[in-house]
Amino acid sequence: MNFTKHYDVIVAGAGMAGIAAALETARSGLRTALVEKTVFPGGLATSGLVYFYLPICDGYGRQVNFGIAEELLHVSYQCGPGEVPANWRQSTFEKPLGRYRVDFSPAAFILALDYLLTEANVDIWYDTLICQTIVESNRAVGLEVENKSGRGGLRASIIIDATGDGDVCFRAGCPFDEETNKTTLWAMQASLERAREAVAKNDGTRLMYFHQIGSEGKEIQGDIKSKTYPWKGTDGRSVSNFLLKGRSLLREHYEKMRGKGQRRQDLFPVTLPAMAQFRTTRAIRGRFTLMAGMAGQRFEDSIALAADWRKRGSVWEIPYGCLIPSVTGLITAGRCISSVGDAWEVTRSIPIAAHTGQVAGISARLSIAQNRTPDTLPITDLHAELRQKQMPYHLADLAPQDEK
Ligand SMILES: Cc1cc2nc3c(=O)[nH]c(=O)nc-3n(C[C@H](O)[C@H](O)[C@H](O)COP(=O)(O)OP(=O)(O)OC[C@H]3O[C@@H](n4cnc5c(N)ncnc54)[C@H](O)[C@@H]3O)c2cc1C
């Protein structure tokens, strides 16, 4: 090894889940490493240009997510445009637009996140790839990483897998579920037309907009009904082909626009995603798996609520078991928790990734304090912490719904 370092907690991946987890543990005084293979914090939300912080309310004016998930929503527009709809409590919109949500600038969010993480004393390792999980007697004790210094070993009492792809659990030998992906590309673009609109309306936010391929049923490859799409985010070759396909479709789009008389200096891409925009890659097979049909179901070990961004009034409880993989010393958060099918559509959103990230951080902290691992942590202890932080985890804890 070219270098080694010891921590209380290592958080793998600096997406929304990893950031929330690292903030939680570092703010409580634990020596926390945050390891990220790109050079940015935020994961898909920033490097992936996914700039819609989906709702943290149920669509009937009831707030569902609190804590760091709510804090990060507000941090997302600290250095740039974006605001919460003033009337979200009175929202009558079926779509998420009028709910407690925000559109943000990925670049502005990155600047704010760097500051937040540094202030909390998180030891950030950017440009550092996690290559292997060090497992001793079925317990994860560290990570092998690779960066400009060479190969390194980071060790910790608890490791949080927030890689979105479940890389740490996968490398530790944990079983997982996976899904294929449709062709997608979201790119930020600039246009003279939008610039004119911005000036006419005296509103700079109109300059920030994007072109999507795939997301609205256009140019999708594969069978939409059965969801047998061609791309696998867990296959190295497929990842490259997915990226090439999306970008070639985007190139063709601009060529088509030029064919329609649009001058190349008046409409052009300005930023492309710096990570592959896969929605679903690996979901660890946890102690419990959340799946279709479980919306509104009560789970005694629920640790979070997740409002369905597609459907107002639909709220899910997320059991703690979804965060617990088969190898001990590990806990997961975000896009790679044990959640499949329709449930995955809900749990993989930005606010829920942040929420499960904070819960994983709390669990790591309590586990260290009790000299145990997250899989043996009494749920009553976790619930006591969540209540103290005023983070509801059962539907019954929410105020009655004001039906409209
Ligand atoms: C096209 C698309 C549209 C979407 N639309 C929305 C939307 O409008 N609103 C919304 O809320 N959600 C949306 N989502 C979902 C949402 O963006 C993500 O699911 C969420 O941001 C996931 O956060 P995460 O922290 O769990 O994972 P990620 O954002 O994937 O973060 C994981 C981090 O870990 C790092 N990492 C991974 N492997 C390694 C490794 N081996 N070593 C070191 N670092 C590693 C990655 O670089 C990344 O920074 C969309 C997703 C896609 C793809």
Side-chain angles (χ1 to χ4, degrees):
M1 292 286 168
N2 299 97
F3 58 96
T4 51
K5 203 146 180 207
H6 287 80
Y7 293 92
D8 296 312
V9 179
I10 300 172
V11 181
M16 283 299 113
I19 287 167
L23 286 174
E24 176 61 38
T25 56
R27 282 172 177 170
S28 67
L30 293 175
R31 293 167 304 154
T32 303
L34 180 60
V35 187
E36 170 56 47
K37 69 177 174 174
T38 71
V39 296
F40 294 136
L44 278 168
T46 58
S47 301
L49 305 181
V50 173
Y51 68 95
F52 306 121
Y53 206 110
L54 281 173
I56 58 169
C57 71
D58 69 347
Y60 285 104
R62 287 193 310 179
Q63 187 172 341
V64 169
N65 301 105
F66 297 79
I68 294 178
E70 185 180 17
E71 178 185 353
L72 291 177
L73 181 148
H74 292 284
V75 169
S76 74
Y77 61 88
Q78 238 168 38
C79 301
E83 57 198 312
V84 177
N87 63 343
W88 70 266
R89 281 198 187 275
Q90 286 82 44
S91 169
T92 53
F93 293 109
E94 179 62 37
K95 293 235 161 121
L97 222 52
R99 291 167 63 174
Y100 191 167
R101 67 181 296 281
V102 120
D103 298 355
F104 57 86
S105 146
F109 200 8
I110 287 168
L111 298 185
L113 286 171
D114 268 349
Y115 178 74
L116 200 70
L117 290 164
T118 313
E119 239 208 344
N121 268 330
V122 175
D123 199 8
I124 310 170
W125 294 75
Y126 285 138
D127 203 20
T128 300
L129 179 72
I130 295 157
C131 313
Q132 193 53 272
T133 308
I134 307 166
V135 180
E136 291 170 2
S137 312
N138 199 45
R139 177 168 182 170
V141 293
L143 300 175
E144 275 184 36
V145 299
E146 183 86 32
N147 63 20
K148 289 292 174 198
S149 308
R151 181 65 64 124
L154 306 180
R155 289 194 165 239
S157 304
I158 305 291
I159 300 170
I160 300 175
D161 185 349
T163 57
D165 304 324
D167 275 13
V168 175
C169 292
F170 169 64
R171 301 270 178 176
C174 304
F176 58 90
D177 289 297
E178 57 184 327
E179 273 183 18
T180 55
N181 286 253
K182 59 189 173 188
T183 308
T184 287
L185 190 112
W186 294 23
M188 310 292 283
Q189 63 181 5
S191 83
L192 188 60
E193 194 190 332
R194 277 284 185 141
R196 287 200 177 109
E197 221 178 282
V199 172
K201 301 210 155 113
N202 194 27
D203 177 7
T205 60
R206 300 205 168 236
L207 295 171
M208 203 187 76
Y209 82 118
F210 71 148
H211 181 71
Q212 287 186 26
I213 285 168
S215 293
E216 280 159 355
K218 285 174 241 152
E219 299 170 286
I220 290 176
Q221 289 190 339
D223 178 352
I224 297 169
K225 273 203 185 124
S226 67
K227 287 197 165 186
T228 47
Y229 301 127
W231 310 115
K232 253 180 142 178
T234 51
D235 175 299
R237 194 60 257 160
S238 184
V239 173
S240 293
N241 290 340
F242 168 83
L243 292 166
L244 287 166
K245 178 69 183 173
R247 294 206 284 259
S248 78
L249 287 173
L250 190 66
R251 203 170 49 235
E252 284 164 21
H253 163 74
Y254 287 110
E255 273 162 18
K256 229 183 275 167
M257 296 308 284
R258 280 206 288 283
K260 289 182 180 167
Q262 186 86 57
R263 298 189 312 166
R264 92 192 127 70
Q265 55 270 51
D266 295 343
L267 179 75
F268 53 89
V270 282
T271 315
L272 296 178
M275 67 185 271
Q277 292 169 323
F278 287 115
R279 289 171 168 84
T280 48
T281 51
R282 278 188 211 103
I284 63 132
R285 203 165 294 156
R287 200 157 66 190
F288 184 86
T289 301
L290 200 64
M291 48 186 82
M294 292 181 175
Q297 194 170 323
R298 183 184 170 93
F299 298 101
E300 285 318 309
D301 69 336
S302 174
I303 42 80
L305 295 174
D308 194 325
W309 53 276
R310 304 161 301 178
K311 199 166 143 205
R312 66 201 293 241
S314 174
V315 182
W316 300 60
E317 294 195 359
I318 304 179
Y320 183 55
C322 295
L323 276 57
I324 303 297
S326 54
V327 169
T328 150
L330 279 175
I331 181 163
T332 55
R335 194 159 58 87
C336 54
I337 66 168
S338 193
S339 175
V340 296
D342 196 52
W344 210 348
E345 287 300 304
V346 177
T347 58
R348 69 179 176 81
S349 75
I350 291 172
I352 313 310
H355 198 118
T356 54
Q358 184 176 8
V359 171
I362 296 171
S363 166
R365 175 161 55 76
L366 294 177
S367 299
I368 289 170
Q370 298 180 16
N371 197 22
R372 55 168 85 227
T373 48
D375 54 315
T376 65
L377 187 69
I379 194 67
T380 44
D381 292 3
L382 201 44
H383 280 170
E385 278 286 320
L386 293 171
R387 277 198 303 277
Q388 205 199 337
K389 287 181 179 287
Q390 298 183 316
M391 293 167 65
Y393 47 86
H394 283 311
L395 275 160
D397 300 338
L398 292 176
Q401 212 165 53
D402 176 19
E403 293 274 348
K404 292 200 170 76

